[in-house]
Amino acid sequence: MRVKVRLIRENRVVDIDLPNGSRVSDLLKKLNLRSVSHIVIKNGEPIPESYQLADGDEVEVLPVVSGGL
Amino acid sequence: MAVKCSRCGKPAVAEIRYTRSRLCREHLIEFIERRFRKGNEEFKVFKNIRRIVAAVSGGKDSLAMLYLLHRFSSVYGYEIIGLTIDLGIDRGKEYSTKSVEAAVESFKKLDIEYVVVDLSREYGYTIDFIRDRGRRLGIRRPVCSVCGITKRYIMNRFALELGADAVATGHNLNDLAQFIFTNMYGGHIDELIKMYPKLPGGNGFTAKIKPVFMLYEKETTLYSILNNIRFHHDTCPHLENGIGGRFQTAIREKLEQLEEEFPGFMLNYVLTYMRRIRPLMVSGSSMGGDGDGDSGEKISVGRCRICGMPSLRDVCAFCSIRSRVSLKVSETISRSRGD
Ligand SMILES: [Zn+2]
Ligand SMILES: [Zn+2]
C-alpha cells in the first residue's frame, strides 16, 4: 500500500510504500523518525503509534523539537 | 483504522507509553492538565505567587504553558501578564516577527494583559546585529549566549517593574533532562541547582518558575494542537547545531533514544534528581532550596553601575553588551530603577 506523507518542517510531500496492515509506528520507522519526537496527524487530528494505516491515507508528520527559544 | 481510548472507547489521538494508555482528545487533555497540577503542587510552585509574568516565545512549549496557567489561574489564585520579546531575528524567515505574532494572538484570545518588548527600539540592538557585528565590536560571547543574557535580563527587569512575584518560562521535561545531564557531566553545580520547578527570588531577582517541567515535549505539542493554539514551529536560524551545539544535541538525542526504549525514562530521571539528589545538594550551597519563594536568593550581589540591576560585577553582562553596541547608555541611566 502507499501512503502520502507531508513533512511539515521540510514542507515536502513524499509517497511511502508500506506492507499492508502497517501502523503509524511502522511508517515512522521507515522514515527513520522516533515516535517520542514526532506527531502524526490525519485530517487535522493526531493519531497514535498503533493506528493502522490504509492504502491512500494522507498524513502529516510534525517534529516536536523546540524552535530554540 | 482507529484505535480506541483506554478510558472511554472514543478514537485515541495519542499513546502514552509510560502509562500504557491510549487516550482520546478529551482524556489526553485531562491527563496533561492533571500532570501539570500534580507536578506544580508537589513542588509548591504557586505557593505565595499572586502575579506571574509568563514569558512567551510563540513556540509550543511557552504557549501550552500560557494556556495551562490561564486555565488554572483561579484555582491557584494568581494573575498573569504576558511578555514576549521581539529579538530582531529575521534571516529571510521573519523568525521574530512570526514568533511575536503567535504570542500576541494567544494573549488576545485568552484576554491576557501583555507587553511586547522590542529589543531594537528599547535597547538599540538586535540579535541578528550581534551575529553580524558582535565580534568586531569586541563581544566574544556566542550569539546564543548574548540572546540568553538579553532574554533573562528583560524578563527579570519587566517582572520587577510589573510587580510580579515570578517569571514563568516554558522549559519542558526534555529540556530539563538534557540540562541536568550536561550540567552534571560538566560539574556545573550552580547551574545544576537551578534545574528545579521553582527558584526563590529576592535581592533584585524575581522568583523563576517552570510550570511545564513535568510535560514531555511531545505532550506540550499535543496540548497545543488539541487546543487549536497557533504556534510558530520554525527553528531559530542561528541554531546551526541544535540547542547548545553538537554535544548538547547528541545528549538530547541519546535521552530520546532511551525514552523510546524505556518509556518514562526522562520523567524518572528528572524526578529522581529533583526529589532525591537536589535536596542533598542545596543544603551545602549558596542558593536557598526550599522553593517556597520567601527565602530569597542568598548570594549577596552588588548592583550594576549603569542600570542598577543585580550584578556580580561593576557593570552587568547586559549593560556591557549594550555599551558595545550603542552609545545611548545615558538613556539607560535615566530609566534605571534606583533600588
Ligand atoms: Zn477517552
Ligand atoms: Zn546593567
Side-chain angles (χ1 to χ4, degrees):
Chain A
M1 66 180 196
R2 178 168 286 189
V3 176
K4 203 177 267 304
V5 182
R6 191 165 81 88
L7 302 164
I8 294 181
R9 171 116 355 116
E10 290 87 349
N11 198 17
R12 189 157 71 80
V13 178
V14 289
D15 286 322
I16 303 291
D17 290 317
L18 291 163
N20 284 338
S22 291
R23 296 170 189 273
V24 164
S25 51
D26 301 314
L27 171 68
L28 288 171
K29 253 179 229 141
K30 179 113 186 191
L31 291 164
N32 216 359
L33 301 173
R34 272 196 280 280
S35 71
V36 294
S37 50
H38 293 84
I39 293 171
V40 179
I41 299 167
K42 191 183 164 190
N43 299 325
E45 197 79 348
I47 47 175
E49 287 90 318
S50 47
Y51 185 100
Q52 206 169 7
L53 295 161
D55 186 44
D57 272 354
E58 294 184 17
V59 298
E60 299 175 292
V61 176
L62 176 71
V64 301
V65 166
S66 309
L69 280 169
Chain B
M1 205 196 301
V3 178
K4 285 179 179 167
C5 172
S6 328
R7 307 241 174 104
C8 72
K10 283 190 198 144
V13 293
E15 191 159 340
I16 305 295
R17 287 181 61 213
Y18 61 93
T19 62
R20 296 176 192 203
S21 52
R22 295 156 181 180
L23 300 173
C24 69
R25 148 184 285 277
E26 182 194 336
H27 283 115
L28 181 61
I29 289 176
E30 188 189 279
F31 172 78
I32 290 173
E33 291 179 345
R34 202 176 52 236
R35 300 231 356 276
F36 170 84
R37 295 187 58 175
K38 261 180 80 175
N40 287 306
E41 283 172 15
E42 174 176 346
F43 294 95
K44 302 185 175 70
V45 171
F46 301 125
K47 191 181 167 192
N48 297 327
I49 301 288
R50 293 288 160 262
R51 182 179 284 186
I52 296 174
V53 163
V56 176
S57 67
K60 80 314 179 190
D61 296 313
S62 57
L63 282 171
M65 172 190 80
L66 183 74
Y67 275 68
L68 285 161
L69 284 174
H70 178 257
R71 172 126 168 72
F72 295 105
S73 59
S74 58
V75 174
Y76 298 109
Y78 50 74
E79 55 170 340
I80 307 164
I81 303 171
L83 170 67
T84 189
I85 307 171
D86 188 335
L87 294 160
I89 300 170
D90 184 312
R91 291 296 197 256
K93 289 168 107 179
E94 296 187 300
Y95 183 75
S96 289
T97 309
K98 287 183 181 166
S99 303
V100 170
E101 269 172 19
V104 169
E105 186 180 310
S106 279
F107 293 145
K108 287 184 175 162
K109 200 163 140 191
L110 298 175
D111 200 18
I112 288 173
E113 191 191 327
Y114 68 94
V115 183
V116 179
V117 177
D118 184 322
L119 185 58
S120 162
R121 205 176 322 146
E122 271 316 300
Y123 298 106
Y125 68 95
T126 64
I127 298 303
D128 280 356
F129 178 84
I130 299 289
R131 178 51 168 250
D132 296 335
R133 313 253 193 93
R135 288 191 80 84
R136 254 180 290 159
L137 294 166
I139 298 167
R140 272 167 310 211
R141 296 173 189 278
V143 68
C144 296
S145 155
V146 172
C147 188
I149 289 168
T150 302
K151 287 187 288 192
R152 285 192 294 274
Y153 180 91
I154 292 174
M155 285 188 247
N156 189 52
R157 178 155 178 172
F158 276 77
L160 289 172
E161 284 178 5
L162 296 164
D165 305 304
V167 176
T169 52
H171 295 100
N172 60 42
L173 188 64
N174 302 53
D175 294 331
L176 283 154
Q178 176 192 338
F179 298 155
I180 290 167
F181 193 100
T182 53
N183 282 317
M184 188 125 43
Y185 175 84
H188 309 305
I189 305 294
D190 289 345
E191 288 304 309
L192 185 56
I193 274 179
K194 292 182 195 162
M195 299 305 132
Y196 203 63
K198 181 178 196 176
L199 299 174
N203 245 329
F205 289 104
T206 313
K208 296 184 181 80
I209 60 174
K210 300 176 180 64
V212 294
F213 76 97
M214 235 172 83
L215 298 181
Y216 283 96
E217 194 160 43
K218 188 166 177 178
E219 293 169 337
T220 58
T221 312
L222 282 165
Y223 191 77
S224 298
I225 292 172
L226 296 178
N227 283 290
N228 298 313
I229 303 170
R230 200 178 62 83
F231 59 92
H232 187 207
H233 50 69
D234 250 351
T235 46
C236 175
H238 296 303
L239 252 184
E240 280 149 8
N241 292 308
I243 303 161
R246 228 163 50 82
F247 180 73
Q248 293 268 357
T249 304
I251 298 299
R252 199 175 182 96
E253 281 176 13
K254 297 295 179 239
L255 289 166
E256 276 177 9
Q257 259 171 41
L258 284 164
E259 181 69 35
E260 189 104 330
E261 201 173 336
F262 306 102
F265 180 89
M266 286 193 219
L267 184 61
N268 282 323
Y269 179 69
V270 168
L271 285 179
T272 299
Y273 164 75
M274 287 177 177
R275 286 174 180 159
R276 310 191 53 182
I277 298 177
R278 189 180 179 277
L280 300 176
M281 293 166 59
V282 286
S283 51
S285 102
S286 54
M287 188 181 284
D290 61 12
D292 274 2
D294 43 21
S295 57
E297 245 172 70
K298 287 173 188 135
I299 323 163
S300 66
V301 286
R303 296 284 162 164
C304 168
R305 178 164 56 79
I306 297 173
C307 71
M309 295 292 279
S311 172
L312 290 168
R313 297 186 188 177
D314 189 32
V315 173
C316 75
F318 180 75
C319 287
S320 84
I321 293 164
R322 271 202 78 197
S323 66
R324 290 182 188 274
V325 293
S326 133
L327 297 170
K328 295 183 280 180
V329 176
S330 58
E331 242 180 62
T332 324
I333 295 169
S334 67
R335 298 174 109 268
S336 76
R337 293 169 38 84
D339 59 358

